[in-house]
Amino acid sequence: MKSEIAGRAVGLVVTGLAGAAAYDGVKRFARSKGFRSAAVSVTTWGLRSVRAAETGAEKVRLATADLVSEARDRIGEQAPPPGAATGHGHEH
């Protein structure tokens, strides 16, 4: 019985020491220039991706607006000026 408790205690101590060593290693790596450089690179990629997505979304928005304008023209409806509030034609 005592040997089981001692065995478990030793196992817990070893696990704790391994965890502390791993934590210290991660902390040292996080403070290193390599980690900072990698973090900056990943952030740069993210920003470029966001910019590309925004550009693509703007192109789609403009193309859609052109299609809607042309469709309105075909049915004889005048397109509202850009930025004009359109509403839905009645009061509440």
Side-chain angles (χ1 to χ4, degrees):
M1 182 100 179
K2 287 184 181 181
S3 64
E4 286 180 33
I5 293 173
R8 288 183 184 176
V10 168
L12 288 173
V13 169
V14 169
T15 301
L17 289 174
Y23 175 76
D24 286 342
V26 168
K27 214 164 57 171
R28 277 192 215 117
F29 177 70
R31 290 180 185 162
S32 72
K33 288 183 182 182
F35 175 77
R36 182 171 178 83
S37 176
V40 170
S41 293
V42 168
T43 304
T44 301
W45 295 338
L47 288 172
R48 286 180 181 160
S49 297
V50 167
R51 298 296 186 272
E54 288 172 346
T55 300
E58 183 65 10
K59 286 180 180 180
V60 168
R61 188 191 68 77
L62 291 172
T64 302
D66 286 343
L67 290 173
V68 170
S69 178
E70 186 176 339
R72 283 183 168 172
D73 188 48
R74 283 188 184 181
I75 63 171
E77 190 177 297
Q78 188 175 7
T86 57
H88 53 270
H90 67 274
E91 292 185 30
H92 288 257

